[in-house]
Amino acid sequence: MTGPAGTLPESSRAKPPTGAAGTADPADRAGAADPSVVVGEDGLARPAWAAADPLLRDYYDTEWGMPVTDEQGVFERLSLEGFQAGLSWATILRKRPAFRAAFDGFAPDLVAGYTDADVERLMAEAAIVRNRRKIVATITNARATVALRAEGGLAALVWSFRPRDTPRPRTFAEIPTTSAESVALSKELRRRGFGFVGPTTLYALMEAIGIVDTHLLGSHRRGSSGVWRP
């Protein structure tokens, strides 16, 4: 996610503290001046993409950037990142219940067993993104996920590309969209038979499941994953 899964980059701040004179310190004033930051009724500032829509706000506050370390969870998020390519994350998030129903909860063993008939079934499912290449890639990736179990599994492989440090962006412009690690992970997954796993897609995955923390410094979510110190 130049932000979660391809949306605008993340940004948020806690409500600025006030001093004896009732004014925020200069750093807080600078943050409050950021037009991409919106302060909600709860006093928490969020990026514009997460400020208005309750679904996106809840996703931002409770899920995005929190660690996901189980095989099915990583496979689901990898699959949704692939479907998101070229679309907004809001579209994918609204369709997630339908995706889960159509893909048997993204259970890798079940999806790995899909046949051509399932591809046609999914192409006829109006509630999901009906892109044949993405559907076929999801099935292929499920089979590759099952094959990876003999070598530690998908989650362990993806998390093994955790960098030694995480970005500390102060502005949207400082938030990366790829990294050396996402490039290397892309090459490794492609080598193992995965598709729709470009470096940008995988960096978005790394943000989404907590491998990197791209919350802006000062965000009320900064460091909330427990993976990186705030």
Side-chain angles (χ1 to χ4, degrees):
M1 321 173 199
T2 36
T7 65
L8 291 173
E10 181 281 335
S11 167
S12 73
R13 293 186 61 86
K15 187 175 181 180
T18 56
T23 57
D25 67 31
D28 289 321
R29 288 198 299 272
D34 185 341
S36 60
V37 171
V38 179
V39 178
E41 293 181 356
D42 56 4
L44 296 177
R46 298 176 178 86
W49 64 263
D53 186 321
L55 183 66
L56 287 171
R57 184 171 62 245
D58 182 66
Y59 174 72
Y60 173 77
D61 283 347
T62 64
E63 185 174 350
W64 186 60
M66 298 304 288
V68 177
T69 58
D70 65 292
E71 178 190 77
Q72 189 164 328
V74 173
F75 173 66
E76 176 186 344
R77 286 156 180 79
L78 177 64
S79 300
L80 293 178
E81 293 290 353
F83 275 104
Q84 185 275 329
L87 302 171
S88 74
W89 180 242
T91 296
I92 300 302
L93 193 59
R94 292 188 181 96
K95 291 178 178 288
R96 182 160 65 168
F99 271 113
R100 286 174 168 171
F103 282 93
D104 289 300
F106 289 100
D109 289 292
L110 296 179
V111 179
Y114 284 3
T115 65
D116 290 345
D118 289 293
V119 173
E120 297 309 316
R121 168 180 63 83
L122 292 164
M123 284 297 296
E125 179 53 70
I128 67 169
V129 174
R130 293 180 289 180
N131 180 298
R132 187 176 297 272
R133 290 180 62 226
K134 293 178 180 180
I135 289 170
V136 171
T138 302
I139 298 169
T140 299
N141 291 350
R143 294 168 183 166
T145 296
V146 172
L148 268 176
R149 290 175 184 163
E151 300 179 58
L154 175 63
L157 176 63
V158 170
W159 275 87
S160 73
F161 284 82
R162 174 185 167 184
R164 297 182 65 180
D165 201 1
T166 191
R168 292 176 174 80
R170 295 183 180 277
T171 66
F172 282 179
E174 294 176 2
I175 299 176
T177 56
T178 63
S179 67
E181 291 79 15
S182 75
V183 171
L185 177 57
S186 174
K187 291 178 180 178
E188 181 62 16
L189 288 178
R190 289 180 187 277
R191 186 180 74 82
R192 293 175 179 273
F194 286 78
F196 274 88
V197 287
T200 300
T201 293
L202 291 179
Y203 195 78
L205 175 71
M206 295 168 86
E207 291 179 288
I209 67 174
I211 294 176
V212 293
D213 184 349
T214 56
H215 292 283
L216 296 187
L217 296 180
S219 165
H220 78 94
R221 291 293 321 284
R222 182 76 191 180
S224 59
S225 70
V227 176
W228 301 99
R229 289 184 297 176

